[in-house]
Amino acid sequence: MGQGGRDYVSHLAREIGVSRPLLHLHLQKLEAAGLVVGSLELSADGKAMKYFELAPLDLHLTPDLVADAAATLTPPAHAAPEDD
């Protein structure tokens, strides 16, 4: 699903090598977040196909927004010391 493009779930799943149900689950979450838009359409042979495309995105980063986002990050876990 490139810039300005759209594709259906089964084709996307084959392209990226994941199962269709797993990809559909993730696309539903992205759709709920407003990052992709899905539409159900019928193919020429009458099959229902769910198409997804990227939603328009207008993001304005400010220093305060970046600082707020950084504050939500979890620090990396420290590795346990190795026994010699």
Side-chain angles (χ1 to χ4, degrees):
M1 189 164 36
Q3 182 179 0
R6 67 185 203 122
D7 210 340
Y8 59 99
V9 176
S10 296
H11 183 254
L12 284 170
R14 284 192 302 273
E15 287 289 311
I16 62 173
V18 300
S19 72
R20 192 196 60 74
L22 178 62
L23 178 59
H24 193 262
L25 173 72
H26 288 289
L27 286 169
Q28 284 178 316
K29 291 180 180 188
L30 291 171
E31 186 176 27
L35 298 174
V36 299
V37 178
S39 60
L40 193 58
E41 300 178 18
L42 290 179
S43 67
D45 61 356
K47 290 183 185 176
M49 300 175 72
K50 182 81 180 235
Y51 281 86
F52 284 93
E53 61 187 311
L54 296 174
L57 181 62
D58 185 20
L59 181 63
H60 299 277
L61 292 177
T62 64
D64 289 339
L65 183 61
V66 172
D68 290 345
T72 68
L73 298 176
T74 305
H78 295 290
E82 293 183 22
D83 291 332
D84 288 34

